[in-house]
Amino acid sequence: MAATAVVAAIAGIGALTGFHLQVREIDPPGSNAVSEVVTDDVVGIRTFTPPAGIRVEADLEYGTREDGTLLTLDVCRPAAATASLAALGADEGLPAVISIHGGSWARGDKANTDWRNVCLWLASEGFVAASVNYRLVPNVIFPSAVDDVALAVEWLRAPEQAERFGIDPARIGAFGGSAGGNLAALLGTRGDGPLDEGSRVAAVAELSGPVGLGAAELAADEASVWLRGIIGAYLGCEPGTSDANCPQAADASPATHADPSDPPFFVGHAETEVVPLGQSQRFATSLAAAGVPVELAIVPGREHSVGILDESLRARVAAFLHAHLG
């Protein structure tokens, strides 16, 4: 609380004196930033070949945070012919999808090869895709990253951007993998009210998300030291601490906020990957118990996040998104 008060005081003094923090970009930037898919094999989204004609607008600013961090996203738009077909019968514009990269909440980039391919794939399906960067550990902890991606939804929904990109602001979904899956899921369950207002989204597809961050769930999964460590760094808690000493673990777990007003979910996971399967299984059960429509897809193997997004799973995710955004 004291630290928060100091930050607020500094911000207030800055506003009165005209002081401005130096604007800085998120590190690491650029198309070569690391992917959470660690293998060199051609798996998952790497099996997708983008068609010609998709339009990409890179490094669009969607906000600047109080600490001076410049937030940017890339927009991938369908080729003109695809957009025309997708718009048939949709006078209000095309559906859109916020795309959220993974990387343990600490690394990754919207434009690395794998996530640029995700953006292009979503555009090839007739969606306007917005691939977002968000602030990373250790510069920030929860809830900064989810606050950033929520701001991206609000930015995309604003009348200026909806007109600019030909978007229907009532039909915005979210897609994420790994840590980005956690953030996409939080977009779906945080808040209440209509799914076409503010930062609410109308559908969520997430892959391999660490979505149950509490001590009991991690114990049930026999979570690795690695997983406990990245969660601890993200939450600002000592790994393995009790939930009583880390209340943000519940706040950062999407099921905590689930209620019948939330959008439909698609949850995908590999059988033996680095994030335990129990994370997704319990999350799907919790969503169903809360009255939220959910589809759980368990695929064989040990690939992670968009490493499981092969042709078959792409078809299932696309069908889900079309059903609930189309």
Side-chain angles (χ1 to χ4, degrees):
M1 293 295 291
T4 301
V6 170
V7 171
I10 292 171
I13 293 169
L16 291 172
T17 62
F19 170 75
H20 295 283
L21 290 171
Q22 182 178 359
V23 174
R24 59 182 178 81
E25 295 184 359
I26 292 171
D27 180 48
S31 59
N32 293 321
V34 67
S35 169
E36 69 270 24
V37 183
V38 297
T39 180
D40 291 329
D41 295 341
V42 179
V43 296
I45 193 61
R46 296 173 185 173
T47 64
F48 172 72
T49 301
I54 295 175
R55 298 163 285 176
V56 179
E57 297 181 56
D59 299 323
L60 304 178
E61 180 182 346
Y62 71 87
T64 303
R65 286 307 193 187
E66 297 84 352
D67 62 3
T69 303
L70 181 68
L71 301 174
T72 61
L73 54 76
D74 300 339
V75 172
C76 299
R77 302 169 69 186
T82 304
S84 298
L85 287 172
L88 288 175
D91 295 336
E92 299 302 318
L94 297 174
V97 177
I98 295 286
S99 175
I100 310 171
H101 72 78
S104 305
W105 301 284
R107 60 185 184 278
D109 185 78
K110 60 183 173 49
N112 70 38
T113 302
D114 289 336
W115 282 92
R116 173 55 59 81
N117 233 17
V118 170
C119 194
L120 297 172
W121 161 64
L122 289 168
S124 78
E125 289 287 344
F127 302 105
V128 175
S131 186
V132 301
N133 270 354
Y134 50 90
R135 288 173 293 172
L136 302 170
V137 172
N139 293 324
V140 297
I141 58 174
F142 175 82
S144 296
V146 69
D147 288 345
D148 290 349
V149 297
L151 180 64
V153 176
E154 295 173 1
W155 181 88
L156 195 62
R157 175 165 280 137
E160 178 184 356
Q161 310 309 332
E163 181 178 357
R164 176 182 181 181
F165 301 118
I167 291 168
D168 179 356
R171 296 189 294 154
I172 298 177
F175 174 85
S178 192
N182 169 276
L183 299 176
L186 279 171
L187 276 182
T189 62
R190 281 205 328 176
D192 51 27
L195 301 179
D196 58 358
E197 296 179 358
S199 62
R200 296 283 270 164
V201 292
V204 174
E206 68 96 348
L207 308 178
S208 305
V211 287
L213 308 189
E217 289 179 281
L218 296 177
D221 290 333
E222 299 181 348
S224 66
V225 172
W226 167 82
L227 183 58
R228 290 173 184 270
I230 66 169
I231 290 172
Y234 172 56
L235 298 177
C237 301
E238 287 297 323
T241 189
S242 70
D243 289 342
N245 295 327
C246 189
Q248 56 268 48
D251 287 342
S253 299
T256 301
H257 312 282
D259 65 61
S261 74
D262 294 337
F265 269 74
F266 182 99
V267 179
H269 211 106
E271 289 178 332
T272 57
E273 63 163 281
V274 64
V275 173
L277 177 58
Q279 290 274 308
S280 287
Q281 290 174 318
R282 279 192 305 275
F283 183 43
T285 299
S286 296
L287 289 172
V292 179
V294 58
E295 178 180 348
L296 175 63
I298 301 173
V299 301
R302 56 187 302 112
E303 299 301 338
H304 174 63
S305 183
V306 292
I308 66 173
L309 195 59
D310 59 12
E311 183 177 8
S312 175
L313 194 60
R314 288 197 299 272
R316 291 185 66 175
V317 173
F320 167 84
L321 292 172
H322 284 301
H324 297 289
L325 300 178

